[in-house]
Amino acid sequence: MTRTRKLLAKTLLLTAAASLMVGATTREASACGGAWVPIVEEQIDWRVPGVLQAERLMDAGKSTDAAASVVRMMPHIKSLKMSASKPLVNRALRVLALSVARTDGRLDAARQLPAHVQDTWLGKSAEDRQTNLTWATDILRKTAEAQENDPQSRTELAEALARTEGGEKEALGILEELAKADLVTSPEGYAALAHLRQKRGDRAGTKLAMERCEAMAKDKSTCAVHG
Amino acid sequence: MTRNHRLTWFLTLTTTAALWLGCREKPSPEDATPAPGPSASAAPELARAEVHPKGDAARGEALTQAFECGRCHDGAELVQSPLEQHCGHCHMDIMNGTFKAPKTELAKWQPVVEPYRDIPSLQSSAQRFKASWLASFLTAPHDLRPHLKQSMPRLALTEEQATDIAAFLTKGAPAPAQKDPLAGGDLAKGRALMEQKGCPSCHTMTGVPAFATQPDAKSADERTRRGVLLAPDLRFARERMPRESAIRWIRDPSSIKKSTLMPSTSLSEQEARDIAAYVFDTPLEAAPKRAVPERLAVLSRPVRYQEVFDEVFSKTCVHCHGDPQVARGDGGPGNTGGFGFKPRRLNLASYSALLSGMVDTEGERVSAFKPTADGTPRLVAALLARQAEEAGAKPGEVRGMPLSLPALSSEQVQLVESWIAQGRPR
């Protein structure tokens, strides 16, 4: 009992001290659910450099690391919606969706993600993987729609579609159109094109797409034809 | 906009060289070198005095808004851009430490920003500039200030638009004098007085024998240092300034332009006339022709995107061709439009964005690597065009880049070209 009281007293003391410190830098307050919530002036939103870092990891081909960092920053990300007024959220969603697509809905991130935020991201079951891929394709489609005629988001949508059942025809259409204009924006995009052409028996086209992929990729394993 | 958005935007601004501030295109000899001026005893006839071109000042005023002149320049009743879009004000705030950012960030940005904070004001432009010069300068700008890194960009202006803007900027200019105000000026005395009064400590004057004093762009005195940056090469004065304003300007420049860094000197009217006569009428040697840098063969060693980004794109290009996702939807004039340019959607801030190409004049997405008529990838063609512009070539179909900044070195162009030739490896 005494220990509990001491603990309670310490907690209250620390809370009061923290409130004073926060209060010293606040300029206004607002009510949230009836509680007084201080708004800290000039508070740094660490998600800004965090999302940037995740994008860089993605560019460096480290899809899993990129995805894991986004989920750690925004554990509730699956519940977030894309919005023109929230570019940071949109960027985070895009990184995670692309990572999920590139790993076929199976993020190998058990060590990087605490159990309570893992959700379906590890893709342990076929159902989870399907859920993840469907979610990723939906996000990438909305991204592409929001950025009309943007080759990057179209390439990324096609990449995801190429990995889903029923999405291959649409993916091939997008990638062929982009390739014709030299606007496929990633080696992964060319790998997906090679995969789709191979399935259609287009050997010469597959070879060309593979050559482009291998010229662009840091690591030739990026160009391994999946599926 | 959150503070962090602003920070990201301004970091982008400052980690690269600004593309929008002006071309450093060297004039071709015929453009840059006026016919040798007459000697002191033969002052130019007034028949050659400035005649204002026909231009519509009201239309010109509207054009200064459309082309966002107030994004860089102050003065001349220009509509000022908001802080986050105003180049000079933003850089000045960073230098003064008044920009809202952590001190550690400001300390990082300040050395990068310093060369880009000084932008000539257009205050009292009617007294200081000839309308005809303004109109021709706007359509074919060249480097006026030898120590200022940035210069006037080559905007997409027609001659008519440039004439209208010139009419606006010179609205209310004094009528040409009946008699040449510089008649009777003694060129030799004028040159001696320039040395004596320290004019060459800020001004360069190419085309005449070198003065004993030379501008010190690294002067410890800030006013002097900034003065050197903003001081134009005096060889252009005869083209730019009405002869009628020269004496007053030399004697008491702040009576014309309040914000000028040029000091008032204790000169008699005759002494000022002597100086003006030297500046305006002394014969000039032809401007030295600058050679187009050699185009180097592509490298055989592997060149990856990161190297090209670090050495070229991040240093120069992303200032105008940035990522709109991190800057409140403003990806810079080369991406989301500005300075009269339509949105070209060219984003050099990341690998995939660059490979997304650009919107051409027909509104179609095209690759930034699409070969031009001679097979040169368009991106490289723009870099080479800038080198050619600096060497005095007439502007071609491809606008030289970086716009308003010195051309890239041959080695930098080689790096970009090698990366493209190797298949643009990530």
Side-chain angles (χ1 to χ4, degrees):
Chain A
M1 189 65 180
T2 314
R3 283 180 66 187
T4 310
R5 275 188 185 165
K6 274 185 182 171
L7 190 64
L8 189 63
K10 269 186 188 171
T11 307
L12 284 170
L13 195 66
L14 282 172
T15 308
S19 301
L20 280 173
M21 287 168 71
V22 172
T25 57
T26 58
R27 62 178 172 193
E28 57 183 297
S30 67
C32 176
W36 184 82
V37 178
I39 296 172
V40 180
E41 193 171 12
E42 303 294 341
Q43 190 172 25
I44 290 174
D45 184 351
W46 294 107
R47 296 175 309 166
V48 174
V51 171
L52 184 64
Q53 179 62 15
E55 288 171 335
R56 287 182 178 158
L57 285 168
M58 173 64 78
D59 280 347
K62 297 177 179 175
S63 297
T64 303
D65 294 342
S69 72
V70 168
V71 175
R72 283 199 305 274
M73 268 188 298
M74 303 179 185
H76 58 305
I77 191 162
K78 204 181 260 185
S79 68
L80 297 177
K81 299 268 184 276
M82 297 196 67
S83 161
S85 62
K86 292 180 180 170
L88 191 68
V89 169
N90 297 346
R91 288 165 58 199
L93 285 166
R94 176 242 157 199
V95 168
L96 181 56
L98 189 56
S99 301
V100 165
R102 285 183 180 171
T103 56
D104 279 318
R106 189 195 325 235
L107 290 177
D108 185 15
R111 288 185 180 179
Q112 292 155 282
L113 295 179
H116 69 280
V117 302
Q118 285 180 0
D119 202 310
T120 60
W121 299 126
L122 304 190
K124 286 178 180 169
S125 66
E127 191 185 352
D128 281 357
R129 289 194 287 279
Q130 186 57 44
T131 303
N132 291 344
L133 275 177
T134 303
W135 175 85
T137 308
D138 182 51
I139 291 293
L140 293 171
R141 186 181 293 284
K142 283 175 180 159
T143 304
E145 285 168 358
Q147 296 174 47
E148 196 186 346
N149 197 18
D150 172 54
Q152 180 179 351
S153 49
R154 293 184 73 209
T155 300
E156 290 170 358
L157 170 63
E159 257 192 70
L161 285 167
R163 293 167 185 268
T164 60
E165 283 184 24
E168 292 186 344
K169 191 178 171 194
E170 185 184 357
L172 185 63
I174 294 171
L175 288 170
E176 290 289 9
E177 185 191 328
L178 291 172
K180 196 175 167 190
D182 190 14
L183 289 171
V184 175
T185 62
S186 65
E188 288 84 354
Y190 273 113
L193 181 59
H195 162 70
L196 295 167
R197 283 176 174 173
Q198 189 182 52
K199 285 188 89 171
R200 288 171 63 97
D202 176 3
R203 290 175 65 183
T206 304
K207 185 169 175 279
L208 280 175
M210 283 300 286
E211 282 172 359
R212 285 297 299 125
C213 179
E214 287 176 1
M216 290 164 78
K218 271 184 185 168
D219 179 352
K220 284 190 180 179
S221 67
T222 304
C223 306
V225 173
H226 60 83
Chain B
M1 177 171 64
T2 68
R3 192 175 67 86
N4 282 288
H5 286 145
R6 289 201 305 270
L7 288 185
T8 311
W9 167 236
F10 285 108
L11 187 59
T12 304
L13 291 182
T14 57
T15 51
T16 63
L19 287 168
W20 40 259
L21 280 174
C23 298
R24 290 175 68 87
E25 175 188 336
K26 291 287 178 190
S28 61
E30 61 269 33
D31 289 338
T33 313
S39 67
S41 57
E45 291 171 17
L46 283 171
R48 287 175 54 206
E50 170 64 0
V51 177
H52 290 200
K54 289 170 194 165
D56 185 323
R59 214 162 45 201
E61 184 174 14
L63 286 166
T64 62
Q65 290 181 39
F67 285 90
E68 298 182 313
C69 304
R71 200 161 164 176
C72 297
H73 295 288
D74 289 331
E77 299 167 4
L78 297 173
V79 175
Q80 297 296 299
S81 297
L83 178 66
E84 65 268 23
Q85 286 191 333
H86 195 294
C87 317
H89 291 177
C90 181
H91 290 166
M92 191 65 89
D93 280 2
I94 290 170
M95 288 309 297
N96 293 340
T98 51
F99 187 80
K100 284 186 181 174
K103 282 182 181 166
T104 48
E105 291 300 307
L106 287 177
K108 269 195 280 183
W109 300 346
Q110 280 163 350
V112 185
V113 166
E114 192 182 8
Y116 303 108
R117 72 172 162 171
D118 291 302
I119 299 166
S121 165
L122 293 179
Q123 197 181 61
S124 310
S125 50
Q127 271 116 23
R128 297 188 295 123
F129 302 127
K130 295 179 184 179
S132 59
W133 174 81
L134 272 173
S136 67
F137 182 72
L138 286 171
T139 48
H142 57 84
D143 190 8
L144 288 171
R145 296 177 170 79
H147 299 282
L148 194 64
K149 197 166 182 181
Q150 69 275 17
S151 55
M152 179 71 195
R154 184 161 73 86
L155 303 176
L157 280 165
T158 63
E159 279 184 22
E160 188 185 6
Q161 288 171 325
T163 304
D164 288 341
I165 292 175
F168 168 64
L169 293 176
T170 55
K171 194 173 62 176
Q178 291 301 305
K179 187 184 163 201
D180 180 11
L182 305 189
D186 186 314
L187 276 67
K189 277 187 186 169
R191 181 178 166 98
L193 277 164
M194 286 176 73
E195 286 274 25
Q196 193 186 325
K197 296 291 177 182
C199 307
S201 62
C202 285
H203 287 285
T204 298
M205 185 164 177
T206 56
V208 300
F211 288 96
T213 314
Q214 290 294 309
D216 179 10
K218 292 179 180 171
S219 169
D221 177 59
E222 196 193 354
R223 187 183 167 95
T224 304
R225 196 171 64 247
R226 294 185 61 205
V228 171
L229 290 178
L230 287 171
D233 182 342
L234 291 176
R235 80 173 290 131
F236 302 115
R238 62 191 66 186
E239 301 166 46
R240 299 174 73 214
M241 182 175 264
R243 295 173 74 86
E244 292 76 14
S245 298
I247 292 175
R248 185 173 157 206
W249 177 255
I250 290 168
R251 293 188 76 191
D252 188 9
S254 59
S255 72
I256 293 179
K257 182 186 174 189
K258 216 171 182 178
S259 62
T260 184
L261 290 168
M262 182 161 151
S264 295
T265 46
S266 51
L267 287 165
S268 68
E269 181 151 342
Q270 182 56 42
E271 286 173 326
R273 181 174 293 110
D274 293 340
I275 290 177
Y278 182 77
V279 170
F280 278 66
D281 297 332
T282 196
L284 294 173
E285 284 179 16
K289 189 155 184 168
R290 194 165 162 172
V292 178
E294 188 187 356
R295 186 172 173 184
L296 303 173
V298 293
L299 294 162
S300 53
R301 69 168 177 84
V303 178
R304 294 227 163 255
Y305 171 74
Q306 194 62 48
E307 183 183 359
V308 184
F309 182 80
D310 291 343
E311 294 301 319
V312 182
F313 300 149
S314 73
K315 285 183 178 168
T316 305
C317 312
V318 298
H319 193 102
C320 282
H321 299 282
D323 186 349
Q325 294 281 336
V326 297
R328 266 210 329 175
D330 189 346
N335 185 343
T336 44
F339 296 107
F341 293 112
K342 287 181 180 170
R344 285 307 191 102
R345 308 287 175 204
L346 180 58
N347 177 356
L348 300 182
S350 74
Y351 178 83
S352 293
L354 169 55
L355 267 63
S356 293
M358 55 190 279
V359 174
D360 69 8
T361 45
E362 271 74 51
E364 293 293 318
R365 270 277 176 183
V366 291
S367 169
F369 315 109
K370 188 178 177 182
T372 54
D374 69 354
T376 305
R378 191 187 161 93
L379 183 66
V380 175
L383 304 178
L384 295 173
R386 186 79 191 104
Q387 291 182 333
E389 285 172 8
E390 280 194 334
K394 293 286 182 197
E397 194 181 320
V398 176
R399 192 173 299 276
M401 293 285 162
L403 191 70
S404 90
L405 284 174
L408 298 189
S409 67
S410 293
E411 289 74 18
Q412 286 174 308
V413 177
Q414 180 190 40
L415 200 63
V416 176
E417 194 162 14
S418 302
W419 174 69
I420 296 170
Q422 289 176 20
R424 307 159 227 159
R426 186 156 68 185

